[in-house]
mmCIF file of all heavy atoms in Angstrom:
data_model
loop_
_atom_site.group_PDB
_atom_site.id
_atom_site.type_symbol
_atom_site.label_atom_id
_atom_site.label_comp_id
_atom_site.label_asym_id
_atom_site.label_seq_id
_atom_site.Cartn_x
_atom_site.Cartn_y
_atom_site.Cartn_z
ATOM 1 N N VAL A 449 19.787 -22.116 7.900
ATOM 2 C CA VAL A 449 18.640 -22.721 7.220
ATOM 3 C C VAL A 449 17.994 -23.786 8.095
ATOM 4 O O VAL A 449 16.767 -23.867 8.195
ATOM 5 C CB VAL A 449 19.060 -23.317 5.861
ATOM 6 C CG1 VAL A 449 17.933 -24.164 5.278
ATOM 7 C CG2 VAL A 449 19.429 -22.206 4.895
ATOM 8 N N LEU A 450 18.810 -24.604 8.749
ATOM 9 C CA LEU A 450 18.267 -25.615 9.656
ATOM 10 C C LEU A 450 17.435 -24.968 10.758
ATOM 11 O O LEU A 450 16.357 -25.456 11.120
ATOM 12 C CB LEU A 450 19.403 -26.430 10.281
ATOM 13 C CG LEU A 450 19.988 -27.573 9.449
ATOM 14 C CD1 LEU A 450 21.115 -28.257 10.216
ATOM 15 C CD2 LEU A 450 18.910 -28.593 9.101
ATOM 16 N N HIS A 451 17.947 -23.837 11.281
ATOM 17 C CA HIS A 451 17.232 -23.116 12.340
ATOM 18 C C HIS A 451 15.895 -22.583 11.812
ATOM 19 O O HIS A 451 14.855 -22.722 12.480
ATOM 20 C CB HIS A 451 18.101 -21.971 12.852
ATOM 21 C CG HIS A 451 17.454 -21.149 13.925
ATOM 22 N ND1 HIS A 451 17.163 -21.648 15.177
ATOM 23 C CD2 HIS A 451 17.016 -19.857 13.922
ATOM 24 C CE1 HIS A 451 16.597 -20.712 15.904
ATOM 25 N NE2 HIS A 451 16.491 -19.618 15.165
ATOM 26 N N LEU A 452 15.911 -21.983 10.614
ATOM 27 C CA LEU A 452 14.678 -21.451 10.038
ATOM 28 C C LEU A 452 13.657 -22.552 9.777
ATOM 29 O O LEU A 452 12.459 -22.390 10.063
ATOM 30 C CB LEU A 452 14.987 -20.717 8.724
ATOM 31 C CG LEU A 452 15.607 -19.331 8.833
ATOM 32 C CD1 LEU A 452 15.999 -18.818 7.451
ATOM 33 C CD2 LEU A 452 14.640 -18.353 9.492
ATOM 34 N N LEU A 453 14.110 -23.662 9.241
ATOM 35 C CA LEU A 453 13.199 -24.768 8.943
ATOM 36 C C LEU A 453 12.599 -25.347 10.219
ATOM 37 O O LEU A 453 11.414 -25.711 10.246
ATOM 38 C CB LEU A 453 13.920 -25.858 8.156
ATOM 39 C CG LEU A 453 14.268 -25.513 6.704
ATOM 40 C CD1 LEU A 453 15.151 -26.602 6.092
ATOM 41 C CD2 LEU A 453 13.003 -25.339 5.860
ATOM 42 N N SER A 454 13.388 -25.400 11.275
ATOM 43 C CA SER A 454 12.868 -25.932 12.537
ATOM 44 C C SER A 454 11.846 -24.987 13.161
ATOM 45 O O SER A 454 10.900 -25.430 13.810
ATOM 46 C CB SER A 454 14.015 -26.191 13.513
ATOM 47 O OG SER A 454 14.629 -24.977 13.914
ATOM 48 N N LYS A 455 12.034 -23.668 12.965
ATOM 49 C CA LYS A 455 11.120 -22.674 13.554
ATOM 50 C C LYS A 455 9.882 -22.448 12.706
ATOM 51 O O LYS A 455 8.766 -22.337 13.218
ATOM 52 C CB LYS A 455 11.851 -21.334 13.727
ATOM 53 C CG LYS A 455 12.746 -21.249 14.940
ATOM 54 C CD LYS A 455 13.443 -19.908 15.015
ATOM 55 C CE LYS A 455 12.453 -18.760 15.051
ATOM 56 N NZ LYS A 455 13.141 -17.445 15.133
ATOM 57 N N GLN A 456 10.071 -22.343 11.395
ATOM 58 C CA GLN A 456 8.984 -21.911 10.523
ATOM 59 C C GLN A 456 8.504 -22.982 9.547
ATOM 60 O O GLN A 456 7.471 -22.808 8.904
ATOM 61 C CB GLN A 456 9.401 -20.647 9.750
ATOM 62 C CG GLN A 456 9.786 -19.488 10.666
ATOM 63 C CD GLN A 456 10.130 -18.220 9.903
ATOM 64 O OE1 GLN A 456 10.176 -18.187 8.673
ATOM 65 N NE2 GLN A 456 10.374 -17.144 10.633
ATOM 66 N N GLY A 457 9.259 -24.056 9.399
ATOM 67 C CA GLY A 457 8.818 -25.169 8.574
ATOM 68 C C GLY A 457 9.048 -25.024 7.085
ATOM 69 O O GLY A 457 8.960 -26.003 6.337
ATOM 70 N N VAL A 458 9.367 -23.816 6.624
ATOM 71 C CA VAL A 458 9.528 -23.587 5.193
ATOM 72 C C VAL A 458 10.385 -22.346 4.974
ATOM 73 O O VAL A 458 10.385 -21.424 5.806
ATOM 74 C CB VAL A 458 8.139 -23.412 4.508
ATOM 75 C CG1 VAL A 458 7.404 -22.201 5.064
ATOM 76 C CG2 VAL A 458 8.265 -23.298 2.998
ATOM 77 N N VAL A 459 11.146 -22.333 3.899
ATOM 78 C CA VAL A 459 11.867 -21.129 3.473
ATOM 79 C C VAL A 459 11.553 -20.880 2.004
ATOM 80 O O VAL A 459 11.129 -21.788 1.278
ATOM 81 C CB VAL A 459 13.397 -21.241 3.672
ATOM 82 C CG1 VAL A 459 13.752 -21.317 5.141
ATOM 83 C CG2 VAL A 459 13.965 -22.422 2.902
ATOM 84 N N HIS A 460 11.768 -19.658 1.584
ATOM 85 C CA HIS A 460 11.524 -19.266 0.200
ATOM 86 C C HIS A 460 12.868 -19.048 -0.472
ATOM 87 O O HIS A 460 13.757 -18.394 0.084
ATOM 88 C CB HIS A 460 10.698 -17.979 0.177
ATOM 89 C CG HIS A 460 10.367 -17.496 -1.198
ATOM 90 N ND1 HIS A 460 11.128 -16.576 -1.869
ATOM 91 C CD2 HIS A 460 9.347 -17.807 -2.038
ATOM 92 C CE1 HIS A 460 10.593 -16.330 -3.051
ATOM 93 N NE2 HIS A 460 9.510 -17.070 -3.176
ATOM 94 N N VAL A 461 13.040 -19.589 -1.662
ATOM 95 C CA VAL A 461 14.305 -19.437 -2.389
ATOM 96 C C VAL A 461 14.011 -18.868 -3.770
ATOM 97 O O VAL A 461 13.011 -19.225 -4.408
ATOM 98 C CB VAL A 461 15.070 -20.780 -2.482
ATOM 99 C CG1 VAL A 461 14.253 -21.840 -3.177
ATOM 100 C CG2 VAL A 461 16.417 -20.608 -3.166
ATOM 101 N N GLU A 462 14.872 -17.962 -4.225
ATOM 102 C CA GLU A 462 14.647 -17.301 -5.515
ATOM 103 C C GLU A 462 15.963 -16.815 -6.092
ATOM 104 O O GLU A 462 16.968 -16.703 -5.375
ATOM 105 C CB GLU A 462 13.702 -16.107 -5.350
ATOM 106 C CG GLU A 462 14.258 -15.014 -4.464
ATOM 107 C CD GLU A 462 13.274 -13.875 -4.233
ATOM 108 O OE1 GLU A 462 12.102 -14.152 -3.951
ATOM 109 O OE2 GLU A 462 13.702 -12.697 -4.325
ATOM 110 N N PRO A 463 15.996 -16.509 -7.389
ATOM 111 C CA PRO A 463 17.213 -15.943 -7.990
ATOM 112 C C PRO A 463 17.508 -14.550 -7.438
ATOM 113 O O PRO A 463 16.578 -13.815 -7.057
ATOM 114 C CB PRO A 463 16.870 -15.865 -9.487
ATOM 115 C CG PRO A 463 15.695 -16.754 -9.679
ATOM 116 C CD PRO A 463 14.940 -16.736 -8.395
ATOM 117 N N LEU A 464 18.769 -14.195 -7.377
ATOM 118 C CA LEU A 464 19.166 -12.842 -7.006
ATOM 119 C C LEU A 464 19.013 -11.974 -8.248
ATOM 120 O O LEU A 464 19.776 -12.099 -9.212
ATOM 121 C CB LEU A 464 20.616 -12.827 -6.509
ATOM 122 C CG LEU A 464 21.182 -11.472 -6.086
ATOM 123 C CD1 LEU A 464 20.369 -10.881 -4.935
ATOM 124 C CD2 LEU A 464 22.644 -11.612 -5.687
ATOM 125 N N LEU A 465 18.018 -11.092 -8.238
ATOM 126 C CA LEU A 465 17.698 -10.291 -9.411
ATOM 127 C C LEU A 465 18.591 -9.056 -9.503
ATOM 128 O O LEU A 465 19.065 -8.533 -8.494
ATOM 129 C CB LEU A 465 16.229 -9.860 -9.357
ATOM 130 C CG LEU A 465 15.199 -10.995 -9.286
ATOM 131 C CD1 LEU A 465 13.791 -10.426 -9.130
ATOM 132 C CD2 LEU A 465 15.280 -11.886 -10.518
ATOM 133 N N GLU A 466 18.778 -8.577 -10.707
ATOM 134 C CA GLU A 466 19.536 -7.339 -10.929
ATOM 135 C C GLU A 466 18.581 -6.166 -10.730
ATOM 136 O O GLU A 466 17.889 -5.736 -11.642
ATOM 137 C CB GLU A 466 20.127 -7.312 -12.341
ATOM 138 C CG GLU A 466 21.047 -6.123 -12.571
ATOM 139 C CD GLU A 466 21.581 -6.063 -13.996
ATOM 140 O OE1 GLU A 466 21.485 -7.076 -14.727
ATOM 141 O OE2 GLU A 466 22.088 -4.986 -14.376
ATOM 142 N N ARG A 467 18.557 -5.676 -9.529
ATOM 143 C CA ARG A 467 17.590 -4.660 -9.141
ATOM 144 C C ARG A 467 17.868 -3.312 -9.793
ATOM 145 O O ARG A 467 18.998 -2.838 -9.816
ATOM 146 C CB ARG A 467 17.597 -4.502 -7.615
ATOM 147 C CG ARG A 467 16.639 -3.458 -7.074
ATOM 148 C CD ARG A 467 16.776 -3.342 -5.572
ATOM 149 N NE ARG A 467 18.123 -2.914 -5.183
ATOM 150 C CZ ARG A 467 18.579 -2.933 -3.954
ATOM 151 N NH1 ARG A 467 17.836 -3.398 -2.977
ATOM 152 N NH2 ARG A 467 19.805 -2.508 -3.685
ATOM 153 N N ILE A 468 16.792 -2.698 -10.306
ATOM 154 C CA ILE A 468 16.865 -1.316 -10.778
ATOM 155 C C ILE A 468 16.302 -0.392 -9.699
ATOM 156 O O ILE A 468 16.911 0.613 -9.351
ATOM 157 C CB ILE A 468 16.076 -1.144 -12.096
ATOM 158 C CG1 ILE A 468 16.694 -1.996 -13.209
ATOM 159 C CG2 ILE A 468 16.026 0.330 -12.502
ATOM 160 C CD1 ILE A 468 15.881 -2.028 -14.488
ATOM 161 N N ALA A 469 15.134 -0.745 -9.177
ATOM 162 C CA ALA A 469 14.496 0.049 -8.123
ATOM 163 C C ALA A 469 13.421 -0.790 -7.457
ATOM 164 O O ALA A 469 12.937 -1.777 -8.020
ATOM 165 C CB ALA A 469 13.880 1.321 -8.696
ATOM 166 N N GLU A 470 13.050 -0.390 -6.232
ATOM 167 C CA GLU A 470 11.966 -1.046 -5.507
ATOM 168 C C GLU A 470 10.924 -0.011 -5.115
ATOM 169 O O GLU A 470 11.268 1.107 -4.705
ATOM 170 C CB GLU A 470 12.500 -1.754 -4.268
ATOM 171 C CG GLU A 470 13.360 -2.967 -4.592
ATOM 172 C CD GLU A 470 13.893 -3.655 -3.351
ATOM 173 O OE1 GLU A 470 14.918 -3.178 -2.833
ATOM 174 O OE2 GLU A 470 13.285 -4.630 -2.908
ATOM 175 N N LEU A 471 9.676 -0.402 -5.247
ATOM 176 C CA LEU A 471 8.557 0.473 -4.942
ATOM 177 C C LEU A 471 7.687 -0.165 -3.872
ATOM 178 O O LEU A 471 7.719 -1.384 -3.670
ATOM 179 C CB LEU A 471 7.717 0.744 -6.194
ATOM 180 C CG LEU A 471 8.473 1.245 -7.437
ATOM 181 C CD1 LEU A 471 7.515 1.374 -8.615
ATOM 182 C CD2 LEU A 471 9.153 2.582 -7.156
ATOM 183 N N GLY A 472 6.906 0.657 -3.198
ATOM 184 C CA GLY A 472 5.966 0.158 -2.205
ATOM 185 C C GLY A 472 4.570 0.641 -2.534
ATOM 186 O O GLY A 472 4.319 1.847 -2.551
ATOM 187 N N ALA A 473 3.671 -0.293 -2.829
ATOM 188 C CA ALA A 473 2.272 0.053 -3.104
ATOM 189 C C ALA A 473 1.504 0.006 -1.791
ATOM 190 O O ALA A 473 1.538 -1.001 -1.085
ATOM 191 C CB ALA A 473 1.682 -0.919 -4.118
ATOM 192 N N GLN A 474 0.816 1.103 -1.468
ATOM 193 C CA GLN A 474 0.131 1.220 -0.180
ATOM 194 C C GLN A 474 -1.384 1.070 -0.377
ATOM 195 O O GLN A 474 -2.000 1.817 -1.140
ATOM 196 C CB GLN A 474 0.444 2.572 0.472
ATOM 197 C CG GLN A 474 1.921 2.944 0.491
ATOM 198 C CD GLN A 474 2.793 1.901 1.162
ATOM 199 O OE1 GLN A 474 2.354 1.217 2.080
ATOM 200 N NE2 GLN A 474 4.051 1.782 0.708
ATOM 201 N N TRP A 475 -1.973 0.097 0.327
ATOM 202 C CA TRP A 475 -3.394 -0.218 0.211
ATOM 203 C C TRP A 475 -4.031 -0.282 1.592
ATOM 204 O O TRP A 475 -3.346 -0.402 2.605
ATOM 205 C CB TRP A 475 -3.593 -1.568 -0.476
ATOM 206 C CG TRP A 475 -3.087 -1.672 -1.880
ATOM 207 C CD1 TRP A 475 -1.813 -1.973 -2.286
ATOM 208 C CD2 TRP A 475 -3.844 -1.509 -3.084
ATOM 209 N NE1 TRP A 475 -1.730 -2.006 -3.655
ATOM 210 C CE2 TRP A 475 -2.968 -1.735 -4.174
ATOM 211 C CE3 TRP A 475 -5.189 -1.225 -3.355
ATOM 212 C CZ2 TRP A 475 -3.383 -1.668 -5.500
ATOM 213 C CZ3 TRP A 475 -5.607 -1.152 -4.676
ATOM 214 C CH2 TRP A 475 -4.718 -1.368 -5.733
ATOM 215 N N GLU A 476 -5.363 -0.267 1.587
ATOM 216 C CA GLU A 476 -6.131 -0.481 2.815
ATOM 217 C C GLU A 476 -7.307 -1.385 2.474
ATOM 218 O O GLU A 476 -8.038 -1.135 1.517
ATOM 219 C CB GLU A 476 -6.645 0.851 3.383
ATOM 220 C CG GLU A 476 -7.330 0.751 4.711
ATOM 221 C CD GLU A 476 -6.363 0.673 5.892
ATOM 222 O OE1 GLU A 476 -5.189 1.082 5.734
ATOM 223 O OE2 GLU A 476 -6.781 0.216 6.963
ATOM 224 N N ILE A 477 -7.470 -2.467 3.258
ATOM 225 C CA ILE A 477 -8.652 -3.322 3.121
ATOM 226 C C ILE A 477 -9.576 -2.991 4.288
ATOM 227 O O ILE A 477 -9.192 -3.128 5.457
ATOM 228 C CB ILE A 477 -8.291 -4.815 3.141
ATOM 229 C CG1 ILE A 477 -7.345 -5.165 1.985
ATOM 230 C CG2 ILE A 477 -9.558 -5.668 3.051
ATOM 231 C CD1 ILE A 477 -6.891 -6.613 1.970
ATOM 232 N N HIS A 478 -10.769 -2.532 3.984
ATOM 233 C CA HIS A 478 -11.725 -2.157 5.021
ATOM 234 C C HIS A 478 -12.445 -3.391 5.560
ATOM 235 O O HIS A 478 -12.515 -4.430 4.882
ATOM 236 C CB HIS A 478 -12.712 -1.135 4.458
ATOM 237 C CG HIS A 478 -12.067 0.167 4.096
ATOM 238 N ND1 HIS A 478 -11.927 1.199 4.995
ATOM 239 C CD2 HIS A 478 -11.494 0.597 2.935
ATOM 240 C CE1 HIS A 478 -11.309 2.216 4.404
ATOM 241 N NE2 HIS A 478 -11.039 1.874 3.155
ATOM 242 N N PRO A 479 -12.996 -3.310 6.782
ATOM 243 C CA PRO A 479 -13.689 -4.468 7.368
ATOM 244 C C PRO A 479 -14.822 -5.022 6.505
ATOM 245 O O PRO A 479 -15.132 -6.212 6.582
ATOM 246 C CB PRO A 479 -14.222 -3.918 8.694
ATOM 247 C CG PRO A 479 -13.252 -2.841 9.064
ATOM 248 C CD PRO A 479 -12.874 -2.202 7.754
ATOM 249 N N ASP A 480 -15.411 -4.167 5.660
ATOM 250 C CA ASP A 480 -16.481 -4.653 4.783
ATOM 251 C C ASP A 480 -15.943 -5.304 3.510
ATOM 252 O O ASP A 480 -16.715 -5.706 2.633
ATOM 253 C CB ASP A 480 -17.444 -3.513 4.419
ATOM 254 C CG ASP A 480 -16.766 -2.379 3.643
ATOM 255 O OD1 ASP A 480 -15.569 -2.492 3.327
ATOM 256 O OD2 ASP A 480 -17.447 -1.371 3.358
#
Side-chain angles (χ1 to χ4, degrees):
V449 170
L450 278 179
H451 179 66
L452 284 173
L453 289 172
S454 67
K455 280 179 58 180
Q456 302 183 355
V458 62
V459 294
H460 181 266
V461 59
E462 63 184 46
L464 180 60
L465 302 176
E466 186 183 345
R467 179 183 62 191
I468 297 173
E470 291 180 277
L471 308 176
Q474 312 304 329
W475 298 85
E476 186 80 21
I477 300 177
H478 295 271
D480 62 3

